[in-house]
Amino acid sequence: MCGIVGYIGAREASDVLLEGLKKLEYRGYDSSGVAVVKDGKVGLRRAVGKLDRLVAEVKKRPLAGHMGIGHTRWATHGRPSEANAHPHMEGGVAVVHNGIIENYLSLKEVLVGEGAKFKSETDTEIISHLIHREIKMGKTLVEAVRATVRLIKGTFAMAAVSEHEPDKIVAARMECPLIVGIGRHESILSSDIPAILSVTRRAVFLKDGEMAVLSRDATIITDFAGKEIKREPTTIDWSPIMAEKGGYRHFMLKEIFEQPRAVADTFRGLLMEESGDVFLDGLDMPAGSIDRIYIVACGTSWHAGLVGKYFFEEFFKVPTEVDLASEFRYRNPLVGKKTLVIAISQSGETADTLAAIKEVKKRGASTIAVCNVVESSLTRETGWSLMTHAGPEIGVASTKAFTTQLIALYMLALYFGRRSGNVDAETGVALIQELLRLPKKLEETLSVAPAVENIAKKYSHLRDFIYLGRGLNHPIALEGALKLKEISYIHAEGYAAGEMKHGPIALIDEDMPVVALAPNDRSYPKMLGNMEEVKARGGRLIAIVNTDDIEASQKADDVIKVPPASMHFTPVILSVPLQLIAYHIAVLKGTDVDQPRNLAKSVTVE
Ligand code: AGP
């Protein structure tokens, strides 16, 4: 969590830093700050609350200068307060940090013993003190940072500036993302790609154990021992406009509406229509070498994994288990050389997912990432990666990243299905045709938005919701409930509809809306039965059905009609109205849709 940014060049640093922080605010938004260096002095501004507060503060007390660092915080050590906000300053050294310093208490004890005075409750402040101590002993800023990163234990992406050397920013990375953008006579660093796009699309992705020294005309990358590393910049194909709201009221709404494009971009160039196969360049994994699959992920990505299990077991016919990454690591899963572990992550930076992959690699498993961010920590860790092409997802509630994950898993399962001989060419061709029709169906599905908005008005005052689904749509019920919880703060539970009678039915009364996923598939008759049970107990039914539906529609209080799709893609289609229900209820309740309370987009701590 937390986002860091740094800039050196000809522009006003505070403008670039604040703009960059705006793009990183999804990583944490309880406080923020910037430090700008000018005429051998570091100017500091910090504010508690959303970034707007910092922007107002900088407007009131401007910070001129062409070099600086900034931070947006999601508190781990110490409550949100101005004193705990970054940058932290000591003796003319300012530091921003994303991550957790595990040995900060023992280091602090030593420093306090030497007379250091601490001003915050954070683990980060230790870094500014250590760098300052090294500078006092005669080291340069680069040498001081190098000495410091060897002393601290934990995870970090950090950047430091010093009033003693006002021509450089020194940054270092250990298990937290850090990107350096290389412009013409200017450089920018950031925790994530969107924040650099206003300056440049040429980027170098730092690896664990690397440092970067940014100056106007050069960026030097070294390891922690100081050995220079040559790495060509990568050109990012995300445009600055992709990280803007583009006329939508919220990023989430824009991202919901981007799904037809995102899905098409994810399969573009990979489908072999004539042979019914999928082209996955560089995936060198014979189907016969895999006898068990684990899918590991967190949150929404875990829901995608639950759908993926159906694809792998149907197409590849290999037993597939889906685990929460945070649990998987702490049990003793049966992982060996013939195990394939697929990690799903939008950000590629989720700490538990990364840790799970590191663990299974030690046991000899093959690993694949399904990820939305190029050069993220996850894609570097796994043997092979299948990228989703959702583009930057800024809303904390995942939407287009989720549906593109479903597409990626479908393609991956089909790929192995074809290689294993379980899916013949004719079936493969039909499965690919289904996928090719999906973007158009998604376009049609989006036309339910006004109807959903009206339905949301009837239910936004209620305190609890239940979502019911069966088969591949059970994970979609879980996902619908998660969306509502995240952004509207309404308590919601997703259930496999068949489980209703085993407990949840006790909750049903006239104040309990039940969202029933009732497409016309093989579980439709059973779903009708579950809907009757809800009705009989006075529950209020919102049914999501196919356009030609009659029976379920007659039972429901409110109906949302979506185009019919094959069983495999019904989960994708149903996701759209569920995202819209959550969105419109949240808007009506006046919550912060894109940055809901207590959450951060990337959970980089365990
Ligand atoms: C989704 O709406 C959530 N914000 C959250 O559950 C998210 O999916 C989870 O934190 C995993 O993130 P990742 O996909 O970046 O690993």
Side-chain angles (χ1 to χ4, degrees):
M1 346 278 264
C2 300
I4 70 169
V5 62
Y7 174 77
I8 182 164
R11 309 180 202 212
E12 276 303 328
S14 58
D15 293 345
V16 182
L17 297 174
L18 291 172
E19 198 183 323
L21 289 178
K22 189 88 217 137
K23 302 283 177 341
L24 295 179
E25 212 185 0
Y26 71 86
R27 298 177 67 87
Y29 33 80
D30 60 40
S31 53
S32 53
V34 287
V36 173
V37 186
K38 181 155 193 256
D39 301 332
K41 285 268 164 291
V42 181
L44 184 66
R45 303 286 182 269
R46 298 186 292 189
V48 180
K50 304 294 286 287
L51 187 66
D52 296 347
R53 300 261 185 93
L54 180 67
V55 172
E57 180 63 21
V58 173
K59 203 165 170 202
K60 203 162 71 188
R61 297 193 300 136
L63 276 174
H66 302 286
M67 172 186 122
I69 54 178
H71 188 270
T72 180
R73 181 167 187 251
W74 187 89
T76 57
H77 293 68
R79 69 199 159 83
S81 68
E82 196 176 321
N84 288 336
H86 304 209
H88 290 284
M89 285 274 291
E90 189 57 35
V93 174
V95 169
V96 288
H97 164 229
N98 161 214
I100 290 181
I101 307 303
E102 287 159 8
N103 59 340
Y104 83 103
L105 282 175
S106 54
L107 289 168
K108 189 170 177 178
E109 218 173 288
V110 174
L111 286 168
V112 168
E114 291 172 8
K117 298 255 178 304
F118 282 77
K119 301 177 272 286
S120 77
E121 304 152 286
T122 66
D123 52 339
T124 303
E125 196 184 348
I126 197 80
I127 304 177
S128 51
H129 279 273
L130 288 170
I131 296 174
H132 171 58
R133 182 174 75 164
E134 298 294 332
I135 288 174
K136 272 197 306 193
M137 290 193 289
K139 293 199 169 98
T140 63
L141 178 62
V142 180
E143 290 164 345
V145 172
R146 197 176 295 142
T148 299
V149 293
R150 288 194 197 148
L151 288 174
I152 55 180
K153 290 197 173 58
T155 58
F156 51 86
M158 54 151 288
V161 292
S162 163
E163 61 185 32
H164 309 292
E165 293 177 61
D167 58 350
K168 61 176 69 75
I169 304 173
V170 182
R173 168 190 162 131
M174 182 56 74
E175 292 187 28
C176 289
L178 192 52
I179 300 157
V180 179
I182 319 269
R184 272 174 60 82
H185 308 299
E186 59 186 345
S187 297
I188 182 165
L189 69 84
S190 161
S191 303
D192 200 359
I193 298 167
I196 70 165
L197 296 176
S198 64
V199 172
T200 181
R201 285 166 60 185
R202 294 176 69 234
V204 173
F205 294 83
L206 257 58
K207 297 183 180 169
D208 290 343
E210 291 183 351
M211 286 176 51
V213 183
L214 281 70
S215 53
R216 272 177 179 236
D217 293 311
T219 290
I220 297 167
I221 315 275
T222 68
D223 62 18
F224 283 180
K227 186 164 167 273
E228 193 167 338
I229 294 161
K230 293 274 177 223
R231 186 169 309 137
E232 278 305 305
T234 306
T235 301
I236 311 288
D237 65 1
W238 291 0
S239 69
I241 209 78
M242 286 170 92
E244 303 293 339
K245 279 191 201 147
Y248 287 89
R249 185 166 167 198
H250 295 101
F251 278 111
M252 183 181 175
L253 189 61
K254 175 186 172 230
E255 289 159 3
I256 291 171
F257 274 82
E258 279 176 337
Q259 289 178 108
R261 192 272 312 148
V263 160
D265 282 356
T266 297
F267 66 62
R268 197 183 308 285
L270 303 184
L271 303 180
M272 293 151 83
E273 287 178 57
E274 283 177 20
S275 59
D277 208 341
V278 186
F279 175 69
L280 298 180
D281 198 19
L283 177 54
D284 184 17
M285 221 175 269
S289 68
I290 301 162
D291 67 4
R292 178 191 291 267
I293 298 175
Y294 284 106
I295 300 179
V296 291
C298 299
T300 288
S301 298
W302 178 68
H303 295 155
L306 294 174
V307 178
K309 172 184 165 76
Y310 283 84
F311 298 153
F312 283 99
E313 293 191 339
E314 182 188 340
F315 300 157
F316 191 17
K317 305 222 181 299
V318 166
T320 304
E321 280 188 52
V322 189
D323 267 76
L324 290 165
S326 55
E327 293 294 324
F328 181 79
R329 306 172 51 189
Y330 299 109
R331 63 186 182 87
N332 201 3
L334 300 171
V335 173
K337 293 204 167 29
K338 293 192 87 177
T339 309
L340 167 61
V341 181
I342 302 170
I344 310 172
S345 174
Q346 186 284 131
S347 61
E349 303 297 342
T350 298
D352 284 315
T353 309
L354 277 168
I357 284 295
K358 285 181 185 161
E359 181 56 38
V360 298
K361 276 171 66 181
K362 284 189 214 146
R363 301 190 197 190
S366 305
T367 56
I368 291 179
V370 170
C371 189
N372 193 43
V373 180
V374 281
E375 295 282 346
S376 59
S377 304
L378 184 66
T379 59
R380 286 208 222 115
E381 204 59 58
T382 51
W384 190 80
S385 302
L386 181 51
M387 301 311 297
T388 51
H389 291 277
E393 190 178 67
I394 312 289
V396 164
S398 192
T399 52
K400 60 178 179 170
F402 175 65
T403 44
T404 53
Q405 285 168 350
L406 299 182
I407 304 311
L409 291 167
Y410 179 85
M411 292 192 296
L412 203 51
L414 179 53
Y415 172 91
F416 282 115
R418 291 288 286 122
R419 249 132 231 89
S420 63
N422 290 314
V423 177
D424 60 24
E426 196 188 337
T427 313
V429 168
L431 291 170
I432 283 177
Q433 288 307 316
E434 281 178 13
L435 178 49
L436 288 167
R437 285 193 287 271
L438 184 62
K440 187 150 180 293
K441 282 186 191 285
L442 273 170
E443 286 288 1
E444 285 166 43
T445 309
L446 285 164
S447 66
V448 300
V452 174
E453 190 174 356
N454 282 330
I455 292 172
K457 286 181 190 147
K458 288 173 66 178
Y459 295 91
S460 62
H461 62 286
L462 293 169
R463 293 169 57 91
D464 305 278
F465 273 67
I466 286 182
Y467 288 69
L468 297 180
R470 280 176 174 265
L472 277 89
N473 302 323
H474 166 221
I476 304 305
L478 302 181
E479 174 60 8
L482 177 66
K483 289 287 86 89
L484 190 69
K485 277 185 269 208
E486 277 187 297
I487 61 169
S488 74
Y489 317 147
I490 291 175
H491 170 240
E493 300 285 343
Y495 286 104
E499 273 294 293
M500 270 288 280
K501 288 192 277 292
H502 299 280
I505 201 160
L507 296 169
I508 306 292
D509 63 16
E510 57 285 358
D511 287 329
M512 178 64 84
V514 175
V515 181
L517 305 181
N520 199 353
D521 58 15
R522 64 184 174 203
S523 25
Y524 183 72
K526 297 265 181 247
M527 197 50 145
L528 290 177
N530 296 127
M531 290 173 71
E532 270 308 334
E533 289 156 13
V534 172
K535 249 183 111 59
R537 283 152 187 88
R540 298 164 71 178
L541 272 169
I542 304 166
I544 308 190
V545 300
N546 289 143
T547 29
D548 54 358
D549 181 83
I550 298 173
E551 253 189 286
S553 308
Q554 284 167 348
K555 294 185 196 302
D557 297 278
D558 287 285
V559 178
I560 299 167
K561 294 201 165 186
V562 296
S566 81
M567 174 184 91
H568 304 116
F569 296 121
T570 302
V572 180
I573 298 289
L574 294 178
S575 297
V576 173
L578 297 190
Q579 294 162 353
L580 288 166
I581 289 175
Y583 173 78
H584 286 296
I585 290 182
V587 169
L588 287 163
K589 291 195 73 184
T591 60
D592 193 337
V593 171
D594 285 332
Q595 294 168 345
R597 69 185 181 199
N598 303 340
L599 293 174
K601 184 78 178 160
S602 311
V603 182
T604 56
V605 291
E606 296 169 11

